[in-house]
Amino acid sequence: MRGSHPRSAILGTGSELPSRVITNAALERLVDTSDQWITTRTGIKERRVLEEGKGTADMAYRAAVRALKDAGMEAKDLDAIIMGTVTPDYPFPSSACVLENMLGARKVFSFDVNAACSGFLNALAIADSLVRTGMIRHALVVGSDALSRMLNWKDRTTCILFGDGAGAVVVGPSHDGARGILSTRLRTDGSHVKTLYVPAGGSLKPASAESVRKNEHTIAMNGKEVFKIAVRSMDGISREALDEADVSIDQVSLVIPHQANLRIITALAERLKVPMSKVMVNLDRYGNTSAASVPVALDEARKEGRIQRGDIVLLNAFGAGFAWGAAVIRF
Ligand code: ACO
């Protein structure tokens, strides 16, 4: 329960998308697919791919600088950096530590959260709790992923879906008691680990010549299974978050769902009984950017003027684990 603790709020947002664009037409030259198939089955038209020699923290840095500027703050004002990512620059240390050094933040503790596409929501919920308990005042919360680095570009069932990007928000005490993060809900179900995973590169199956030859460092997925469970889970967790915030779906001005597949989003909107005019969609331009998807869409929605002061926004996400979550925020 939230109790009587002061609320936390999102004080600034920022995002970064790499400049290199891969269109569906370009993918037609790589695998047996078509723009028509990808568009009708997913809604995706193009995605961004991070240039070689750059890592997840490089994208995160640009998004973070913009979020800090938007919040009117500097890196020295931060107490924590929490990054949702499954594509860190190194197996260790965390990309949050890499980012901390890039930003020149000096009095922080920084760590990554591995919850795949739900990583940003998990990081946001942690930051919200830390601020509300008074342990910290300001956190930088980032979702940054470069899934292009984990794709088998010969597998048409996965390589068409994903893209790279980063989104960041600054979380701190709400200046106004009515505004801020009203609720967060998180869930996992570890019985589906192998429905969506990268088989090798961890302690169970370290990198070897054989694992590379078998393409086991790339995403393996049962798309149909993910699809079904994603819709059901995001619907359920969104309702829980709305209940906890004591907000009805009619009071929500904008839903910002994880950008995985337009068909997942429309099915979710139907279940939630929300018109698509109240649902943020940008996956046509970026594909599924994993942990970056929700914060990038949030930043774009704000820049497009789709979120006004006092508006209630519902965020939700679903990803590997399975891990999923939702948050209700009054801006
Ligand atoms: N181009 C052309 N044909 C294709 C392609 C492609 N890119 N991919 C698959 N096909 C073929 C299949 O081989 C199949 O052919 P067949 O009937 O001859 O066997 C046919 O198209 C239909 O394939 P399905 O898998 O049934 O297609 P479906 O409508 O389920 O769409 C998709 C597949 C897009 C993957 C969908 O299931 C989906 O979006 N699932 C969710 C995936 C997802 O979001 N994953 C990420 C979760 S987030 C995270 O944590 C990373």
Side-chain angles (χ1 to χ4, degrees), residues 43-276:
I44 300 164
K45 298 297 285 180
E46 59 186 44
R47 68 288 293 142
R48 304 297 181 91
V49 167
L50 182 60
E51 68 189 273
E52 274 177 38
K54 298 281 182 197
T56 288
D58 291 297
M59 291 189 293
Y61 173 75
R62 286 167 172 257
V65 166
R66 290 172 186 140
L68 284 166
K69 186 167 182 238
D70 189 39
M73 288 174 55
E74 294 177 34
K76 67 173 172 50
D77 303 323
L78 295 171
D79 305 305
I81 298 176
I82 312 175
M83 190 188 306
T85 187
V86 285
T87 53
D89 298 53
Y90 311 104
F92 70 83
S94 68
S95 275
C97 280
V98 179
L99 173 62
E100 168 190 323
N101 191 48
M102 286 175 169
L103 287 170
R106 289 290 170 251
K107 284 193 186 156
V108 287
F109 61 94
S110 307
F111 59 97
D112 288 355
V113 174
N114 179 333
C117 300
S118 190
F120 173 77
L121 276 162
N122 284 51
L124 184 68
I126 295 167
D128 171 52
S129 313
L130 295 175
V131 170
R132 280 188 298 109
T133 58
M135 183 175 168
I136 63 167
R137 278 185 66 74
H138 294 107
L140 180 70
V141 178
V142 186
S144 184
D145 264 316
L147 282 187
S148 67
R149 305 294 204 246
M150 287 188 173
L151 290 177
N152 175 356
W153 292 97
K154 291 185 181 133
D155 175 7
R156 68 178 183 173
T157 67
T158 51
C159 77
I160 56 143
L161 294 173
F162 299 98
D164 303 339
V169 304
V170 177
V171 175
S174 172
H175 303 309
D176 156 357
R179 289 160 64 206
I181 298 176
L182 306 184
S183 67
T184 59
R185 300 291 285 184
L186 304 173
R187 196 71 47 77
T188 49
D189 178 351
S191 66
H192 295 278
V193 165
K194 292 190 177 175
T195 309
L196 174 55
Y197 77 133
V198 176
S203 58
L204 190 60
K205 200 183 260 195
S208 65
E210 194 199 2
S211 67
V212 171
R213 187 173 47 77
K214 288 181 163 169
N215 254 322
E216 289 177 321
H217 296 276
T218 58
I219 293 176
M221 177 180 77
N222 176 342
K224 266 198 188 327
E225 197 63 12
V226 176
F227 193 115
K228 261 191 331 221
I229 301 174
V231 174
R232 215 167 50 217
S233 305
M234 282 196 285
D235 175 35
I237 205 88
S238 297
R239 288 170 191 278
E240 284 181 28
L242 290 167
D243 280 351
E244 192 189 331
D246 201 17
V247 163
S248 77
I249 191 71
D250 299 332
Q251 291 173 275
V252 172
S253 310
L254 188 66
V255 180
I256 303 184
H258 175 45
Q259 307 285 311
N261 183 322
L262 187 58
R263 284 158 56 217
I264 293 180
I265 294 176
T266 50
L268 175 66
E270 257 170 51
R271 283 177 85 125
L272 286 172
K273 298 194 169 48
V274 176
M276 282 303 285

